[in-house]
Each structure stands twice: as C-alpha cells, then as structure tokens.
Amino acid sequence: MNRWTAIEGTPAPLGCAWIEAEQAYNFALYSRFATGVTLLLYGADDFENALHSVRLHHLVNKTGRIWHCRVALAAIGEAQYYAYHIDGPFDPAAGHRFDPLKVLLDPYAPAVFFPPRFSREAAKRPGSNVGQAPLGVLPSRSRNAALVDEQPRHTSDTIIYELHVRGFTQHATSGVSPERRGTYAGLIEKIPYLQELGVTVVELLPVFQFDPQEGNYWGYMPIHFFSPHQQYAAGETPQAAIEEFRQMVQAFHAAGIEVILDVVYNHTGEGDAASPTYSFRGIDNHTYYLVDLERGTYLDDAGTGNVLRCAAPAVRKLIIESMRCWVRGMGIDGFRFDLASILTRNSDGSVNLDDPAVITDISADPDFTHLRLIAEAWDISSYQLGRSFPGITWLQWNGQFRDDLRSFVKGDPGYVPQLMSRLYGSDSLFPDDLTSAYHAYQSVNFITSHDGFCLYDLVAYNQKHNGANGADNQDGPDDNRSWNCGTEGDDDLTPAILTLRKRQIKNFFSLLMLSNGTPMFCAGDEFMHTQRGNNNPYNQDNEITWLDWSRLETNRDMFRFFKLMIAFRKAHPSLGRSRFWRDDVRWYGVRAQPDMSYHSHSLAFYLRGASQDDQDIYVMINAYWEPLVFTIQEGHAHEWRRVVDTLLPSPDDIASAGEEQPLTDQCYTVGPRSVVVLLRP
C-alpha cells in the first residue's frame, strides 16, 4: 500500500472510485479556482444532514488543479450518495460564480440520485439547496460484469432510424407492456418491428441525464454526461437504469442493429446565469463555460444559455471520458454530436478550423476509431458543413441535402443541378480530391429529423402550428420548405389531396434511398406520424410527439412502401458506396440530355452495377405537375423491369424482389410528381 495515497488520496481517476485493496473510496474533483472543497456523504434516508463530511486541505488534498481524498469504508458507514460544497470567489466579471452553500453534483459521478424533495427552483436561487439537490451515487463495491457483446457493423446496408426513447413507445397504442412504455426496456419489445422495417442503425435522441423538472422533452439540456436518463427506465434506481440501458444495447446488437447516441457536448442544462446551478457552474464556472469577461455573461452560440469551453483541457478530458464510459461500459456504436461546430471553439470563443483540440483528441483516440462519429456541423454563428468542418474523417448531417430535396420535390424551379449533386453523394461538399479524399458515405442524407416538420407534416402544412407551447409561442410561416398539397392540415382533407400527399412522401423516400451516402429518416415517418403542424416540439411530452401506432394500421400501404424501398437499397450496393459513382453513372432527361434549365423539373439517371457485382438501375424523376414522357436511354425496353412507380396505388407502387413488372415500350410516361425505378436483371 502506498502510505501517501492512503492518507491523501490520488488525483486520478476523476470522480469516485472504489479501492478494493484498501476498503476505501477515492474522490477526485477538478476545480482550478476553488479556494476550498468539502466532500459530503449522505445516507439512504436523510438528504439534509450529511453522515460524514471531509474538509479538503490544499496542502494535503490537492495536486495541481485537482482536489482529492481517500475515505475508508468504516468512516463512510451507511452512506450511499455524495456531493460537494465549493468555496471560491463570486465575481461574474472574472467568470466566477462560486456559492459555498450550494450542494454540487460531481460531473464524474457514476450515476445521479434525485432526492424526494429535489427542486429546480432551489437550484436557481442563491444559497443552500441542501436536501433538494441531485447527488452522486457511490460506485458499487462489487466488480461489474464485463460487457461481452458482438457489435454489428454495417456498410452499404446502413439505414439510420432516429427515434426518441420515450416517444417511441409511450402511446397506449404502442403494443408495449404498460409498465415498459416510454423506456429502454420498451424499445427491446419493438426490435422485431425495426427488423421487419429493415433498420440497421438506431440513433437515440439524447439520453444523458437531464433535469426531470425542466420540461425539455427532447433532452438537449444535459446535467450529467455519464449516466442514462432515469426517467426513461422501467427500473426505479439509478443503478437499474444503467443495467436496463446495457440490456437494451445488447438486445439491439443481438438483432444486428447498431446503437448510436445523439450527444450534447456543447452546452449543459445549467443554462444562463438565471438558471439552476447543479454542478459545473458551482465547481468551476470559468473553466467549464465560455464567458464574455467584458460583460460577465455567457457566450451563447448554442442558443441555450451557455457554451462549454471545449478547448480547455479539463473539458476535453470530460468529453473523452464520457464517450469512453458509453463505449466501454454500454457498448455504444457511435455518436451524433449536436452543434458539433462548437467543438471547434478556442478558449476565447474564436473558431479554430485547423486543429481544434477536442476534435483531434476524439479522432485520435483508439477507443473511438471503429465508431460512427457524426457531426451536426453548425451552430447559431458558424456553419461548417462539408470540407470546412475539421473532423475530416467524420460523417456529417447533410443539411444541404435536406433543403435541396425538399425544394425540388415541392416543385420549386432551379433545383435540377442540386438534385444531381445530392444524388451523387454531395462531392462538392465532400470532395474526394488528393488533399481530402472524402468518402460518399460521410454525407448523412435526410429529409426529416426531430428538428422541424416530420415527413407527413412536410406535405400537410404550409404554416407552423406551435401554439402557446411552441418555441416562439407563435404560429406563422414555416421555414422547412413545406407544401400542404392544397389544404392546410387535415380538417378539409379530400381523397385526392391525401393521395397526392402519399405520393410526395413516396417521392421523398425513394430519392433518399436512391442517393449515394448514408440515409437517415425519422421514427414514425413510415406510417405518416403527425405532430399537427408543430415544427419545434422540444417541450411537448404528450400525444403531439408520442407515436400513435394506430396510424401504422391505417397507413399499412405506406409502411409497405418504406419497407420494400429499404429492402431495394440494401439489395443493391451500387447505390450506397464507399466512393462516388463516377463512371458508373450517366445522367439523362426526358430524352438524351438532362435539362439543367431554371424551369426544369425532371431528371433521369442510369447506374451501372457491374463494378459492385450488382444489377443496373434506371431512375426517372418528374417533379412537374403534368405527366412527362421519358425515353429510356439505356438498352432495350424488354431488358428492364419496373420496381417503383409512385403514381400507382398500392400494391402496384412498388414490387417485391422477383415480382418486378416487365416493360414493353422504350418510352415511359412518368406521372405528375412521380418517381419511377427500373431494374435490369
């Protein structure tokens, strides 16, 4: 035994660790500007009076900027939870907001406990919130079972499905056991459905622990980066939530489905100066947050009240260790980084596109080399989509794909050249030149996500209908390039308008599945889930956002189309490639040459499959409101068989493999606002 460490503790690892050989816990906390630290230990019943406290002395319990101590089990007694009091200056102009009376959560705690009197309001006020603050859970004294898991890895068959853990199964129509609705365990019950649909990757909206009293349904306001949100668990304890999450991931893996997390490492749920102090602000505000020292206020490029100082060594370490926890401890297959451009900020808030430290750290870490790292490469003040984003090997949400496809399918003029680029893989954004050598799959193509209209609402509303609870508390013009097909919402819906809406949805999904890149779509789009025109339901934990599974039965024809279109893409690796299509693609119009003019609304292309051991594909696209006669430019009509014609009613709109319809004429009339797909066996 090292006598010094047994007395003083050690600065590593950060957080709380059980030392079996010494029958003691080691506590370590980073705080550069603290003048004093007190460790508080609480029992299972009394959260106002600490069972034991340790006042740390800098001459004994501090190494560099880390405060630490070693506490024997005998001294802790029946303690199960812990927290800190932190002394230091309160000087917002210098970036300091210490409050020695606040009970503060350890950022590295293995889990979070919310006492019965937990209060968000108490955390907002200056002074004590004892008995009302979230507490860290002491780690288990037994050795955790190793995570033995066969992780699937998908390539050309990758289909990303974005879902909300609670919203996916919370509705009474979900078919999930009542006690498991809205939980990680509930997702396990839905795995057969996802397998039937053809999903190979699920992307979970944020599951980091957030404030259960905030009313933020989406979860983009985390207060802790190391534990799953307990309110999404069927189990009742923090430890049960962790185990349930692990079991969920293992169940997905056993079904051949990857799990990636939408993570928020750019800001926290502590918000602005008027918001709650739970952890980071009270421990070391100047280190954790970017502060405008001239005004004593937070920088807010995330639009949430604060921005993490991601370039600071302590914050970089926090992000890396959090990721490592989810990868090693939970078996996660990748991360989608919310507002990832904030990770490029220097410590003074300026943008660094050359070598931002945290992106370099993540990209170089051997634990992460096999993961899907996906960036949302923009924030309020910096748009870095494509080659501008310094994570050169990362995938990126392609917001330009979303915008251009929405405009083209809607019928806006001037979008044929953009459509060609997006179908090809957006090489203008992700060039495969000698300098960069990007891959086509780095473009994550999507039409809809949690942010904005869902797919049905995209074709059912011109206006946003957010009501009194919307983000801006107003209805008004939508900025999602939507078109309601003739009537707003469903009140005056006619069969003709519903048919047109379904066709537009099929057009969107067909083009998504036919595009080179990595496709992603949003849960419920396959059976026309609606949010009633709300384009920003971040705070709607109700039937606006919960998937109504009765719509699956009502819209079985749409589910069938999605399912077969996914199967078609997965069966034809010539569509989704590691590299761009290059010489394998030839572009046409209604005749030999594509019409690139401003008023054109049509395009055709031929994709040669031989280089991928695949069949040839011919696609004809008409976004015009009148039928157009296309002349097939490759081969003879009898060589081709029709797979898709979105003008036709179900089940003729798409054929199962082996049931494609043969052609008899070299000319094919593509109906108004329709997509036709041919296959040459």
Side-chain angles (χ1 to χ4, degrees), residues 15-16 27 39-41 81-84 106 108-110 135-138:
C16 179
F27 297 86
L39 171 68
L40 307 168
L41 293 151
Y81 312 109
Y82 74 105
Y84 290 97
D106 178 8
Y108 283 82
L135 306 174
V137 178
L138 290 175

Side-chain angles (χ1 to χ4, degrees), residues 396-418:
Q396 297 181 37
W397 268 25
N398 191 342
Q400 199 62 55
F401 181 98
R402 173 199 61 204
D403 294 347
D404 290 343
L405 267 290
R406 286 183 174 191
S407 293
F408 175 82
V409 172
K410 176 186 175 187
D412 291 344
Y415 277 90
V416 170
Q418 290 92 323

Side-chain angles (χ1 to χ4, degrees), residues 153-159 198-201 372 566 569-570 576:
R153 289 288 177 267
H154 295 280
T155 54
S156 64
D157 63 338
T158 299
I159 307 291
V199 169
T200 58
V201 181
R372 295 184 191 272
I566 290 171
R569 179 182 178 87
K570 291 165 71 174

Side-chain angles (χ1 to χ4, degrees), residues 614-633:
D614 196 4
Q615 298 164 293
D616 297 339
I617 297 171
Y618 199 93
V619 179
M620 296 172 281
I621 308 164
N622 178 17
Y624 193 50
W625 37 92
E626 299 290 344
L628 295 175
V629 179
F630 284 71
T631 301
I632 300 168
Q633 302 295 321

Side-chain angles (χ1 to χ4, degrees), residues 478-508:
D478 171 59
D479 58 0
N480 285 271
R481 305 176 189 227
S482 61
W483 177 51
N484 63 22
C485 296
T487 189
E488 189 75 357
D490 290 345
D491 289 343
D492 299 314
L493 187 60
T494 65
I497 290 176
L498 179 59
T499 297
L500 177 56
R501 287 178 179 177
K502 286 188 171 184
R503 193 189 322 154
Q504 288 290 76
I505 290 173
K506 294 175 189 177
N507 293 338
F508 276 123

